[in-house]
Amino acid sequence: MITIKTPEQIEAMKVSGALSKAALRRAGSMIRPGVSTLEIDRAVEAFIKLHGGTPTFKGYGGFPGSVCSSINEQIVHGIPSANVILQDGDILTIDTGATVNGWAGDNAWTFYCGTVDEKTQALCEVTRDCLKAGIAAAVPGARLGDVGHAVQKLAEDNGYGVIRDFVGHGIGRNLHEDPEVRNYGRAGNGIVLREGMVIAIEPMIAMGTYDCTVLENGWTVVTDDGLPSAHYENTVAITADGPVIVSEDEVGPWCEMQGGLE
């Protein structure tokens, strides 16, 4: 069942969204060769708690971390570990969120570690543009297929694979709510977007095949061809004035954080 949020509830979600984005910036500020993904996870957890939130991901479905830290060919749900040490040239997707006053936040970004090759940078830039295209399509009266089609067309026009097995979602009191928000689809198909819907749009785009496998840990998803994958995500409210990014960091005392995110 899709839950429609009131304008007041969307404003409340902006607080959790703001802390979620600030936590993502905190993670980004730590990414450099020699840092472990567990160090990043612990810093993000401490940051969220310091500012009155609860890490949305910690314990969700049994997930052990406060962030998903997915490196290179890992698409999503990478588990933070002291044994995963960042190297120059890696890309690292951090997916995290903060829950504040019962409202869940969720966002993701693929960060560069040191000097990343141009081919991988191009993948990341197109994936980020796919997120922007998906958000631009999320207007009242449009259909979910319009969002997925906008993402898919841009990715495939640039020769990349669109991950099928993992998708975006509705969000509110729960991290995952209806509807499912696919990164592929046919324009004009799917449910009609209505004012008050809040969805997490999160393109996951691979340099090669979209075929993927879940590792034995039951969480981490990797590309079958071993090529890199990028992932960007924002929480978006459907409003009469167009799509509003809820996962912004303009609210709260953490606004001084730096990071270059959008």
Side-chain angles (χ1 to χ4, degrees):
M1 180 179 71
I2 296 172
T3 60
I4 300 299
K5 281 73 175 178
T6 66
E8 293 76 18
Q9 289 173 327
I10 291 173
E11 288 302 308
M13 289 190 72
K14 287 182 179 179
V15 178
S16 58
L19 184 51
S20 298
K21 181 57 70 68
L24 196 58
R25 290 184 188 277
R26 178 70 182 96
S29 72
M30 296 180 66
I31 293 174
R32 59 186 180 275
V35 173
S36 75
T37 56
L38 184 61
E39 290 177 74
I40 295 170
D41 178 78
R42 288 177 173 171
V44 167
E45 180 172 345
F47 181 87
I48 291 172
K49 290 179 176 178
L50 176 66
H51 293 291
T54 301
T56 305
F57 292 11
K58 187 71 174 282
Y60 185 83
F63 188 76
S66 294
V67 306
C68 296
S69 52
S70 307
I71 190 167
N72 298 330
E73 76 280 2
Q74 296 177 355
I75 299 166
V76 71
H77 302 160
I79 297 175
S81 172
N83 296 321
V84 178
I85 308 297
L86 296 178
Q87 306 293 322
D88 185 66
D90 287 340
I91 56 172
L92 178 69
T93 295
I94 298 293
D95 190 352
T96 194
T99 297
V100 181
N101 296 324
W103 294 103
D106 190 10
N107 50 198
W109 196 266
T110 300
F111 295 94
Y112 301 162
C113 181
T115 303
V116 174
D117 67 80
E118 292 183 0
K119 190 174 181 180
T120 303
Q121 286 187 40
L123 166 70
C124 293
E125 290 169 4
V126 168
T127 306
R128 186 178 59 196
D129 288 343
C130 284
L131 173 60
K132 293 177 181 178
I135 292 172
V139 297
R143 293 181 178 270
L144 266 180
D146 297 326
V147 175
H149 177 75
V151 171
Q152 181 181 14
K153 185 176 189 308
L154 183 55
E156 293 182 349
D157 282 353
N158 282 275
Y160 299 127
V162 178
I163 303 302
R164 262 72 166 168
D165 294 351
F166 297 87
V167 298
H169 50 89
I171 184 171
R173 291 289 186 183
N174 300 300
L175 175 60
H176 292 109
E177 298 182 352
D178 292 333
E180 184 178 89
V181 182
R182 298 176 180 177
N183 295 308
Y184 59 94
R186 294 174 58 189
N189 280 21
I191 66 168
V192 175
L193 298 178
R194 297 169 52 196
E195 292 179 36
M197 291 175 62
V198 181
I199 57 177
I201 301 175
E202 49 179 320
M204 288 164 263
I205 308 300
M207 187 177 289
T209 180
Y210 58 73
D211 293 324
C212 57
T213 299
V214 180
L215 298 182
E216 290 183 0
N217 63 25
W219 285 103
T220 308
V221 184
V222 299
T223 57
D224 282 357
D225 57 13
L227 293 177
S229 177
H231 174 198
Y232 294 81
E233 175 185 20
N234 269 320
T235 297
V236 179
I238 313 301
T239 79
D241 297 323
V244 172
I245 298 176
V246 175
S247 49
E248 294 282 15
D249 56 0
E250 298 175 353
V251 181
W254 42 82
C255 295
E256 70 277 6
M257 294 300 299
Q258 302 298 311
L261 306 185
E262 298 172 357

